[in-house]
Amino acid sequence: MFSRAIGLSLFLLAAPAAAQDHSQMDHSKMDHGQMNHDAMPGMEHDMSGMAHDGMDMAGHADAMAPMLWRWSGTSWQPDSAPQPGIHLMLDKWMTMLVGRVWGVADSQCGPDGDSKVFAPGMLMAMAQRDFGANDTLGLRTMFSLDPFMGRRGYPLLLANGETADGKTHLIDRQHPHDLFMELAATWTHRLSDTDSVFLYGGYPGEPALGPTAYMMRISAMDNPSTPIAHHWLDSTHITFGVLTAGWTHDGWKLEVSQFTGREPDQHRFDFERARFDSTAARLSWNPDSHWSLQMSGGFLKSPEQLDPDHDETRFTASATWYDAFPIGSVAATLAYGRKYLSDGVDEDAALLETEFKPTPLWTLFARAETIASNELMPGHDVRRAGAVSLGLVRDFRVADGFKLGLGGLYAFNFTPASATAPYGDNPRGAMAFVRLLTD
Ligand SMILES: [Cu+2]
């Protein structure tokens, strides 16, 4: 009953947000022409030398080649979303460095809770250059500091997915990510002012499935915690072997990936066998500079190391919105994911998250999630659970291009009755953190 109440309250939360966002969308269409001013602040000068003439008119940087892959994999976010990072021109190469290192003190309450101090983080370096008027090569590397926290990751009530020992499911803990999160190259060929085609290869890389991975998602960047819905939405972001072909037309993108279905194993420093046995397709649409929508579906061959006989069919849909107002900037994502396992299990998850920055040095963030999982229950019974978290960060500028932040978050968890793990009466979680990041 509790889980139904959560599902309903999420829906009630999401519906007015969606309605409100819709009115915002009409408004934002009117200032479509302003896109280039709020897109990628700090990069306008670098961009201008390389931008193609059609860019101002079309208003979709992605379709026009420069900085094609600003986020994880080949995913899109709103064109107006600013990307923090250090941008440099090195001869003909446009380069960008993004880094975030956290120190987190984590405490999860209840019998299955635990405490830990750990240091997650990510570093991303990308470079791209044009060849002639119509071709662009992009290279990207993305590293995670997670493996240094140990194979059991960190305590996070209701998190489930992957394994620490190759034998048991990791439950109520978030697994560490692999050291090599993305080593990828893209080749983009521009066909006209509005059309381009591209090829993307990653080992590891991210297939065309799901929204932008949470660590690069504009509505989640300031939250040190992984969404418990991660394995229903964007968990394929580290895949050992991805090949994607796509076509962009103005604000539309259609892409197809062939990739390795198996999730990374518990050895987080290594490279794993590329199998290219799974397929995904994604349709993305940026109707204006403030919105990014996607629908995607995939067939994953034997994704689970602990359940290798079963395949998965996944469907996701998401909408991300970003806008800047006199009182501050707002980013939000509403996402839904559903997994159909070949043994008949049907599980879904929904997420609504938002970040509000009244000034560049203050961030308020919130996330509400619901998951239906078969790993939280004995006998693999699918049960619903949920979490709502709220957080705050205060940043300080410590050097040119760098910010140091202090923050915290508090999470309320809604646990299934008679779950495998005893959760107690107050399944809450809290994190206090310090972080250093590129601005
Ligand atoms: Cu992940």
Side-chain angles (χ1 to χ4, degrees):
M1 202 179 86
F2 208 31
S3 63
R4 276 203 181 142
I6 302 310
L8 185 65
S9 54
L10 232 189
F11 177 77
L12 292 173
L13 248 174
Q20 202 181 357
D21 288 354
H22 191 74
S23 62
Q24 195 48 245
M25 187 168 149
D26 294 338
H27 156 77
S28 57
K29 266 183 178 164
M30 292 190 294
D31 54 40
H32 194 218
Q34 288 187 350
M35 177 256 155
N36 274 307
H37 298 288
D38 48 25
M40 297 175 269
M43 270 184 57
E44 288 146 22
H45 300 293
D46 293 344
M47 295 278 296
S48 57
M50 299 186 69
H52 298 287
D53 292 335
M55 194 174 148
D56 281 357
M57 289 164 63
H60 289 285
D62 291 297
M64 295 301 106
M67 298 314 285
L68 192 62
W69 316 116
R70 296 197 287 144
W71 313 105
S72 65
T74 55
S75 67
W76 273 358
Q77 295 205 75
D79 295 337
S80 62
Q83 185 174 52
I86 297 165
H87 308 276
L88 285 172
M89 286 297 299
L90 298 172
D91 191 22
K92 289 183 174 161
W93 290 89
M94 185 192 300
T95 66
M96 185 172 76
L97 282 168
V98 180
R100 255 173 281 150
V101 181
W102 310 71
V104 182
D106 171 18
S107 178
Q108 304 286 309
C109 302
D112 209 50
D114 195 2
S115 298
K116 183 164 176 158
V117 174
F118 59 100
M122 58 81 67
L123 297 167
M124 172 174 135
M126 67 156 284
Q128 73 173 48
R129 63 160 289 182
D130 287 349
F131 289 88
N134 296 318
D135 293 279
T136 303
L137 172 68
L139 302 170
R140 183 165 55 206
T141 62
M142 216 167 156
F143 302 94
S144 169
L145 301 182
D146 288 7
F148 300 101
M149 72 174 76
R151 285 186 189 172
R152 295 187 69 231
Y154 63 88
L156 184 65
L157 289 180
L158 298 174
N160 60 101
E162 305 196 15
T163 177
D165 56 9
K167 298 186 195 89
T168 55
H169 289 286
L170 202 51
I171 298 172
D172 296 317
R173 300 185 76 90
Q174 170 59 39
H175 67 78
H177 286 97
D178 284 55
L179 174 67
F180 299 100
M181 288 205 290
E182 193 174 3
L183 299 173
T186 51
W187 186 270
T188 308
H189 178 71
R190 187 168 170 263
L191 300 168
S192 70
D193 280 356
T194 54
D195 290 73
S196 60
V197 287
F198 67 85
L199 269 180
Y200 164 95
Y203 183 73
E206 182 180 310
L209 182 60
T212 297
Y214 73 92
M215 52 263 288
M216 295 301 289
R217 200 157 64 222
I218 190 73
S219 54
M221 277 187 176
D222 294 278
N223 187 336
S225 179
T226 304
I228 60 169
H230 187 40
H231 280 262
W232 284 255
L233 301 171
D234 50 352
S235 62
T236 49
H237 64 114
I238 303 174
T239 295
F240 283 92
V242 180
L243 204 54
T244 301
W247 168 52
T248 61
H249 169 74
D250 201 7
W252 293 87
K253 173 165 57 91
L254 182 63
E255 55 196 323
V256 178
S257 296
Q258 194 68 22
F259 62 101
T260 301
R262 176 60 58 86
E263 294 172 339
D265 64 18
Q266 69 273 23
H267 306 286
R268 303 293 176 179
F269 291 93
D270 67 348
F271 286 89
E272 294 168 36
R273 185 160 70 88
R275 308 179 191 205
F276 293 102
D277 51 9
S278 303
T279 309
R282 177 166 61 192
L283 180 66
S284 305
W285 182 36
N286 284 16
D288 61 31
S289 65
H290 300 290
W291 280 90
S292 187
L293 302 105
Q294 69 85 25
M295 272 176 70
S296 51
F299 168 79
L300 288 77
K301 181 81 185 160
S302 183
E304 304 265 356
Q305 181 184 349
L306 302 185
D307 192 12
D309 296 336
H310 292 123
D311 303 328
E312 178 186 322
T313 303
R314 188 182 299 190
F315 167 80
T316 84
S318 66
T320 296
W321 171 69
Y322 175 86
D323 209 340
F325 301 96
I327 57 157
S329 66
V330 188
T333 295
L334 177 64
Y336 179 78
R338 191 162 197 134
K339 306 198 270 202
Y340 304 93
L341 308 183
S342 57
D343 57 355
V345 170
D346 174 2
E347 300 179 336
D348 69 354
L351 168 149
L352 177 64
E353 67 187 10
T354 183
E355 289 204 352
F356 172 59
K357 289 179 188 285
T359 80
L361 297 178
W362 282 96
T363 307
L364 290 155
F365 58 84
R367 179 183 285 150
E369 304 168 80
T370 170
I371 58 170
S373 171
N374 70 351
E375 288 181 19
L376 299 170
M377 289 296 295
H380 295 269
D381 204 7
V382 175
R383 288 296 172 90
R384 190 162 289 284
V388 174
S389 56
L390 299 163
L392 173 74
V393 196
R394 167 71 162 109
D395 284 303
F396 302 89
R397 249 179 250 289
V398 288
D400 203 23
F402 290 93
K403 288 197 295 198
L404 181 77
L406 297 172
L409 77 87
Y410 197 84
F412 302 88
N413 296 290
F414 306 97
T415 56
S418 66
T420 310
Y423 288 104
D425 293 335
N426 283 306
R428 309 272 166 85
M431 292 183 188
F433 58 85
V434 55
R435 65 170 187 183
L436 181 68
L437 71 166
T438 51
D439 190 10

